[in-house]
Each structure stands twice: as structure tokens, then as C-alpha cells.
Amino acid sequence: MTMTHGNKVLDKHCMIDLETLGSNPKAPVVQVGMVFFTREGIQLRSQVTIDFDDAMTLGEADGSTIKWWLQQDKAAQENLFKNSIPAVEAADIIEKVIAAQNANFYWAHATFDFPILLSMFRAMNRKYPLPFKRTLDLRTLEILAGPIEWAPRTGIHPGALDDAEYQAEHAIKLLNAIGKC
């Protein structure tokens, strides 16, 4: 979908997915996956994994979510801690990646990932890096495009980067079905 922002046409998109330790709006964020794409395909993948202790100080964990994580595949659990960095460094990377890419930003669920990431940046007393006017959600695309079957899942699930790529691939199908991409 080509969208305009001011006089500028935007045909680049970014799917963002989070892995958290809660399902509330202030849940600790432990992983952020960002996949930039156009209607032709995936262009850039980026992931940051936030130090577990830092994540816990910035949010409010849910016991039920932690129990859920303990029931997930071992690869998903290990991925949650691999190559973790301090939250400040993770926020710097997220800001730099987003600033370098002029895009529309998508979430699978408008009321889950978006407010949680916003809460993390607020807890760090940082400006939220995503432009609110270019923040969209996958479910709206599904309504506009009509039913389109999801491809079989690959990669680590749950895992922020693999989930974001899976969702981006579906968004590409939806945007092309809408016909404005």
C-alpha cells in the first residue's frame, strides 16, 4: 500500500513484533523484531534482545506470561536471552534503525505491541521513536484485503524477529491484494 505523509509517498513498510513478560500495557519488553519490506519482499531485518534484569525494572511482569514462557519450546526460551544488551543500548538501536528508514509501521495487534513499546520508552524517559500518523495494524489490512491464507510458519516461534518476518510476509500478500501497493 502506498501511503502519503505530507507530500511524500511512502512505499516502505516495517512490521514490528515484541516478546514480553506480560500482557498488560506496561509489560517488560525483552525482544523487539523489526522487518522492513516493500511489496516486492523483505529488505531489512533487525532484532534487539533486552537484558532480562533491565526489562524487569522497566515494566510489570505477569506471572501467567512467565508460566506461558516456561511451556514454550526450548529454542524459543533460549532465543529470549541470546545476545541480550542493556535497555539503553537497545533503545538507541531501535531509534537509529527507525530513523534510518522512512516507513509505515505495522503491528499484528494494534492494542498489544504498540502501547507496550510506548510504555517502555516512557519508563526510560525517552521520546517515542515511531511517528503516530504512520502506525498501522495487520488486522485492519486483513479486513481491507479479505481472507488470505497464512503461509506455514517457519523459524523460532515465539521469537520477535521470526514472528515479525512471518507477519511481514503476510502483510505483503494483503497489500498486493488491496491493489494499492
Side-chain angles (χ1 to χ4, degrees):
M1 172 177 274
T2 301
M3 299 186 70
T4 61
H5 179 68
N7 293 331
K8 198 171 208 174
V9 175
L10 301 178
D11 59 2
K12 187 179 261 187
H13 311 278
C14 177
M15 183 65 67
I16 300 175
D17 189 76
L18 306 180
E19 296 306 334
T20 67
L21 299 175
S23 58
N24 68 77
K26 293 184 178 182
V29 176
V30 289
Q31 209 170 63
V32 179
M34 298 174 283
V35 175
F36 291 87
F37 62 97
T38 66
R39 65 185 170 104
E40 286 85 25
I42 305 296
Q43 294 188 325
L44 174 71
R45 297 166 32 109
S46 180
Q47 176 175 286
V48 293
T49 301
I50 299 168
D51 174 77
F52 192 83
D53 291 329
D54 280 3
M56 292 296 284
T57 64
L58 294 171
E60 299 171 9
D62 295 337
S64 60
T65 303
I66 292 172
K67 287 179 189 174
W68 178 84
W69 272 108
L70 293 173
Q71 297 170 359
Q72 299 309 302
D73 185 70
K74 187 168 178 65
Q77 292 174 357
E78 290 173 354
N79 183 48
L80 206 57
F81 298 99
K82 190 168 50 172
N83 301 320
S84 67
I85 58 176
V88 170
E89 188 178 331
D92 288 344
I93 291 169
I94 293 166
E95 289 170 349
K96 287 177 186 170
V97 169
I98 288 171
Q101 304 290 326
N102 192 24
N104 299 307
F105 297 90
Y106 293 84
W107 314 88
H109 316 287
T111 58
F112 185 78
D113 302 81
F114 178 79
I116 293 174
L117 189 61
L118 175 63
S119 177
M120 182 188 95
F121 273 84
R122 284 183 175 162
M124 297 174 73
N125 294 314
R126 294 179 81 130
K127 182 177 183 261
Y128 190 61
L130 293 172
F132 290 102
K133 291 181 179 181
R134 294 194 328 250
T135 302
L136 310 158
D137 76 292
L138 190 59
R139 290 180 176 174
T140 302
L141 287 180
E142 289 177 319
I143 291 168
L144 295 172
I148 293 179
E149 189 172 331
W150 285 77
R153 186 177 278 284
T154 60
I156 296 174
H157 175 68
L161 186 59
D162 287 344
D163 288 352
E165 183 168 352
Y166 179 68
Q167 295 159 10
E169 292 287 354
H170 192 63
I172 291 167
K173 288 183 193 177
L174 295 169
L175 291 167
N176 284 324
I178 293 169
K180 296 180 181 175
C181 190

